[in-house]
mmCIF file of all heavy atoms in Angstrom:
data_model
loop_
_atom_site.group_PDB
_atom_site.id
_atom_site.type_symbol
_atom_site.label_atom_id
_atom_site.label_comp_id
_atom_site.label_asym_id
_atom_site.label_seq_id
_atom_site.Cartn_x
_atom_site.Cartn_y
_atom_site.Cartn_z
ATOM 1 N N ARG A 264 -39.656 13.309 -5.764
ATOM 2 C CA ARG A 264 -39.978 14.328 -6.769
ATOM 3 C C ARG A 264 -40.458 15.589 -6.079
ATOM 4 O O ARG A 264 -41.377 15.557 -5.255
ATOM 5 C CB ARG A 264 -41.076 13.817 -7.707
ATOM 6 C CG ARG A 264 -40.620 12.772 -8.690
ATOM 7 C CD ARG A 264 -41.760 12.276 -9.550
ATOM 8 N NE ARG A 264 -42.297 13.310 -10.421
ATOM 9 C CZ ARG A 264 -43.339 13.125 -11.230
ATOM 10 N NH1 ARG A 264 -43.954 11.953 -11.255
ATOM 11 N NH2 ARG A 264 -43.769 14.109 -12.002
ATOM 12 N N ALA A 265 -39.820 16.703 -6.419
ATOM 13 C CA ALA A 265 -40.291 17.989 -5.922
ATOM 14 C C ALA A 265 -41.513 18.419 -6.735
ATOM 15 O O ALA A 265 -41.722 17.936 -7.860
ATOM 16 C CB ALA A 265 -39.177 19.028 -6.038
ATOM 17 N N PRO A 266 -42.341 19.314 -6.187
ATOM 18 C CA PRO A 266 -43.514 19.776 -6.938
ATOM 19 C C PRO A 266 -43.120 20.328 -8.305
ATOM 20 O O PRO A 266 -42.189 21.126 -8.419
ATOM 21 C CB PRO A 266 -44.092 20.884 -6.037
ATOM 22 C CG PRO A 266 -43.640 20.517 -4.665
ATOM 23 C CD PRO A 266 -42.289 19.901 -4.839
ATOM 24 N N GLY A 267 -43.795 19.868 -9.338
ATOM 25 C CA GLY A 267 -43.545 20.342 -10.691
ATOM 26 C C GLY A 267 -42.426 19.628 -11.416
ATOM 27 O O GLY A 267 -42.192 19.882 -12.601
ATOM 28 N N GLU A 268 -41.708 18.743 -10.736
ATOM 29 C CA GLU A 268 -40.612 18.030 -11.387
ATOM 30 C C GLU A 268 -41.139 16.847 -12.188
ATOM 31 O O GLU A 268 -42.011 16.103 -11.735
ATOM 32 C CB GLU A 268 -39.616 17.497 -10.352
ATOM 33 C CG GLU A 268 -38.550 18.465 -9.938
ATOM 34 C CD GLU A 268 -37.443 17.764 -9.158
ATOM 35 O OE1 GLU A 268 -37.751 16.909 -8.312
ATOM 36 O OE2 GLU A 268 -36.266 18.084 -9.398
ATOM 37 N N SER A 269 -40.564 16.652 -13.374
ATOM 38 C CA SER A 269 -40.848 15.456 -14.163
ATOM 39 C C SER A 269 -39.881 14.356 -13.742
ATOM 40 O O SER A 269 -38.860 14.629 -13.106
ATOM 41 C CB SER A 269 -40.668 15.756 -15.649
ATOM 42 O OG SER A 269 -39.300 15.986 -15.935
ATOM 43 N N PRO A 270 -40.174 13.095 -14.103
ATOM 44 C CA PRO A 270 -39.191 12.036 -13.817
ATOM 45 C C PRO A 270 -37.823 12.332 -14.420
ATOM 46 O O PRO A 270 -36.799 12.030 -13.810
ATOM 47 C CB PRO A 270 -39.833 10.796 -14.447
ATOM 48 C CG PRO A 270 -41.303 11.064 -14.393
ATOM 49 C CD PRO A 270 -41.430 12.538 -14.643
ATOM 50 N N ALA A 271 -37.800 12.950 -15.621
ATOM 51 C CA ALA A 271 -36.517 13.295 -16.240
ATOM 52 C C ALA A 271 -35.766 14.317 -15.386
ATOM 53 O O ALA A 271 -34.542 14.223 -15.222
ATOM 54 C CB ALA A 271 -36.734 13.832 -17.648
ATOM 55 N N ASP A 272 -36.495 15.310 -14.839
ATOM 56 C CA ASP A 272 -35.868 16.295 -13.949
ATOM 57 C C ASP A 272 -35.230 15.603 -12.747
ATOM 58 O O ASP A 272 -34.112 15.925 -12.340
ATOM 59 C CB ASP A 272 -36.898 17.313 -13.455
ATOM 60 C CG ASP A 272 -37.444 18.204 -14.548
ATOM 61 O OD1 ASP A 272 -36.724 18.434 -15.538
ATOM 62 O OD2 ASP A 272 -38.604 18.656 -14.419
ATOM 63 N N VAL A 273 -35.965 14.655 -12.176
ATOM 64 C CA VAL A 273 -35.478 13.946 -10.985
ATOM 65 C C VAL A 273 -34.211 13.164 -11.320
ATOM 66 O O VAL A 273 -33.225 13.195 -10.569
ATOM 67 C CB VAL A 273 -36.569 13.001 -10.443
ATOM 68 C CG1 VAL A 273 -36.039 12.193 -9.264
ATOM 69 C CG2 VAL A 273 -37.800 13.781 -10.019
ATOM 70 N N LEU A 274 -34.219 12.468 -12.443
ATOM 71 C CA LEU A 274 -33.049 11.673 -12.812
ATOM 72 C C LEU A 274 -31.849 12.548 -13.123
ATOM 73 O O LEU A 274 -30.714 12.222 -12.746
ATOM 74 C CB LEU A 274 -33.388 10.779 -14.002
ATOM 75 C CG LEU A 274 -34.365 9.638 -13.713
ATOM 76 C CD1 LEU A 274 -34.724 8.899 -14.989
ATOM 77 C CD2 LEU A 274 -33.782 8.669 -12.687
ATOM 78 N N ARG A 275 -32.079 13.676 -13.816
ATOM 79 C CA ARG A 275 -30.956 14.583 -14.086
ATOM 80 C C ARG A 275 -30.356 15.079 -12.774
ATOM 81 O O ARG A 275 -29.130 15.158 -12.628
ATOM 82 C CB ARG A 275 -31.415 15.749 -14.951
ATOM 83 C CG ARG A 275 -31.532 15.426 -16.431
ATOM 84 C CD ARG A 275 -31.711 16.679 -17.256
ATOM 85 N NE ARG A 275 -32.990 17.329 -16.978
ATOM 86 C CZ ARG A 275 -34.102 17.118 -17.673
ATOM 87 N NH1 ARG A 275 -34.093 16.267 -18.685
ATOM 88 N NH2 ARG A 275 -35.218 17.749 -17.380
ATOM 89 N N ARG A 276 -31.212 15.425 -11.830
ATOM 90 C CA ARG A 276 -30.724 15.914 -10.532
ATOM 91 C C ARG A 276 -29.940 14.817 -9.807
ATOM 92 O O ARG A 276 -28.878 15.066 -9.217
ATOM 93 C CB ARG A 276 -31.917 16.391 -9.705
ATOM 94 C CG ARG A 276 -31.567 16.824 -8.290
ATOM 95 C CD ARG A 276 -32.701 17.613 -7.649
ATOM 96 N NE ARG A 276 -33.986 16.970 -7.736
ATOM 97 C CZ ARG A 276 -34.415 16.000 -6.914
ATOM 98 N NH1 ARG A 276 -33.607 15.553 -5.962
ATOM 99 N NH2 ARG A 276 -35.627 15.487 -7.035
#
Side-chain angles (χ1 to χ4, degrees):
R264 287 178 65 183
E268 274 193 318
S269 68
D272 293 332
V273 176
L274 291 175
R275 280 192 294 267
R276 175 165 51 81

